[in-house]
Amino acid sequence: FSKAIMELAIGKEFKSALAASCVYLACRIEGYPRTIDEVSLYVGVDSAELNRIHKILMVTLKQMIRG
């Protein structure tokens, strides 16, 4: 997570997209899958930006788990 933050500029749009990405991931983990379009609509973030941030977050989390 911290690596993903360091790789990107921390702006208002980034923070919103990161929060939306966490919501998207939490919904999937808890068994309430939502599409990126649904989450982006409710949070008010561009779906392309949400998708980009989500991919970065997933790569970062996988690297942290591997050690």
Side-chain angles (χ1 to χ4, degrees):
F1 177 75
S2 60
K3 288 182 183 180
I5 290 177
M6 285 189 279
E7 290 178 14
L8 300 169
I10 301 177
K12 182 179 179 183
E13 185 175 322
F14 168 75
K15 289 179 184 178
S16 297
L18 182 59
S21 180
C22 291
V23 168
Y24 172 73
L25 187 58
C27 287
R28 291 185 60 175
I29 289 170
E30 292 299 317
Y32 300 101
R34 300 290 181 252
T35 65
I36 286 192
D37 289 336
E38 285 178 304
V39 175
S40 68
L41 178 68
Y42 293 125
V43 177
V45 175
D46 180 56
S47 61
E49 181 69 8
L50 173 55
N51 193 32
R52 185 178 76 85
I53 299 298
H54 177 68
K55 287 178 183 179
I56 292 170
L57 180 62
M58 293 305 297
V59 168
T60 303
L61 290 174
K62 286 178 185 178
Q63 287 175 351
M64 290 174 67
I65 291 171
R66 290 182 191 156

